[in-house]
Amino acid sequence: QQQVKQSPQSLIVQKGGISIINCAYENTAFDYFPWYQQFPGKGPALLIAIRPDVSEKKEGRFTISFNKSAKQFSLHIMDSQPGDSATYFCAASVRGYSTLTFGKGTMLLVSP
Amino acid sequence: EAQVTQNPRYLITVTGKKLTVTCSQNMNHEYMSWYRQDPGLGLRQIYYSMNVEVTDKGDVPEGYKVSRKEKRNFPLILESPSPNQTSLYFCASSLYGQGSQYFGPGTRLTVL
């Protein structure tokens, strides 16, 4: 049973455009939702995270939008740059536990 | 520098030859975990450890062993590797109860 569903599997965006990656979860006990960024040949690195007490969190060009009633959250990358080309993973965990449940990842390519 | 290290980074071996992939972290984290990453399947957890001498199975533990004798080290052992264990492996760590995990650089394993 896949508890975090991520879409799309791959995404091509032109430089300067907006990249949007969506995730949906099933377990209502989840209360921490991080996004990880992975460049080729590297391990995933925490990009941005949100807790369900807010509907949006913004850090620079990266924004998480969270819809608790729909059990969905999304990553928006504004003014996408070629350097943003990477694989992005959404994840979820339960408060007080360290174990993360990951989505299957989205390969983003930002064309120059 | 806070980091998770893995060794070796690349390994080619043959079926049935026991191997160990080491993982070490210098952040005094209680929680450590092993993942494998395969195309289209994302990150799947193999084993995790909440503290010294405390380990538990993740989603795909078959064919793997772990031990946690020291807080900083969490080796992954393949007693009798098989070709279906060819994959990219990541070790990660975090403070217990914190969802943000720090990942190592990865170990690419090929079993012939």
Side-chain angles (χ1 to χ4, degrees), chain A residues 32 36 38 43-44 89 98-100, chain B residues 31 37 90 97 99-101 103:
Chain A
Y32 177 73
Y36 283 79
Q38 183 184 27
F89 293 96
S98 299
T99 295
L100 288 168
Chain B
Y31 184 92
Q37 183 177 11
F90 289 101
S100 304
Q101 293 184 14
F103 282 79

Side-chain angles (χ1 to χ4, degrees), chain A residues 4-54:
Chain A
V4 178
K5 293 184 178 180
Q6 183 172 347
S7 63
Q9 190 171 2
S10 62
L11 180 62
I12 301 175
V13 174
Q14 285 195 331
K15 179 182 176 181
I18 302 174
S19 304
I20 301 174
I21 304 171
N22 300 300
C23 285
Y25 62 97
E26 299 166 3
N27 186 350
T28 55
F30 287 149
D31 67 348
Y32 177 73
F33 303 91
W35 285 88
Y36 283 79
Q37 180 187 54
Q38 183 184 27
F39 292 108
K42 303 291 186 181
L46 179 66
L47 180 64
I48 186 173
I50 196 169
R51 293 202 180 272
D53 50 344
V54 296

Side-chain angles (χ1 to χ4, degrees), chain A residues 52-102:
Chain A
D53 50 344
V54 296
S55 60
E56 186 175 282
K57 183 174 182 179
K58 184 176 181 178
E59 290 184 2
R61 296 184 293 108
F62 299 90
T63 299
I64 299 179
S65 296
F66 183 78
N67 185 329
K68 188 174 182 178
S69 61
K71 294 187 287 186
Q72 295 175 346
F73 57 110
S74 60
L75 176 69
H76 296 235
I77 306 175
M78 311 300 287
D79 187 27
S80 298
Q81 299 296 312
D84 297 329
S85 298
T87 299
Y88 292 82
F89 293 96
C90 63
S93 70
V94 176
R95 183 185 297 273
Y97 292 89
S98 299
T99 295
L100 288 168
T101 300
F102 283 91

Side-chain angles (χ1 to χ4, degrees), chain B residues 13-90:
Chain B
T13 189
V14 295
T15 299
K17 186 176 182 181
K18 181 179 178 180
L19 66 92
T20 299
V21 183
T22 64
C23 172
S24 182
Q25 50 92 5
N26 63 0
M27 295 169 279
N28 202 35
H29 286 166
E30 296 89 0
Y31 184 92
M32 298 186 74
S33 180
W34 276 102
Y35 297 88
R36 60 178 289 173
Q37 183 177 11
D38 302 288
L41 298 178
L43 292 158
R44 295 181 293 168
Q45 191 178 49
I46 302 170
Y47 269 95
Y48 65 95
S49 168
M50 292 187 286
N51 215 324
V52 175
E53 302 293 359
V54 181
T55 63
D56 208 345
K57 297 177 181 178
D59 298 318
V60 288
E62 295 77 19
Y64 304 94
K65 285 177 58 178
V66 293
S67 68
R68 187 91 181 274
K69 293 183 170 53
E70 301 170 284
K71 195 172 187 179
R72 63 182 292 129
N73 296 324
F74 190 42
L76 179 69
I77 303 159
L78 284 72
E79 295 265 357
S80 183
S82 62
N84 64 12
Q85 292 178 299
T86 292
S87 187
L88 180 58
Y89 291 87
F90 289 101

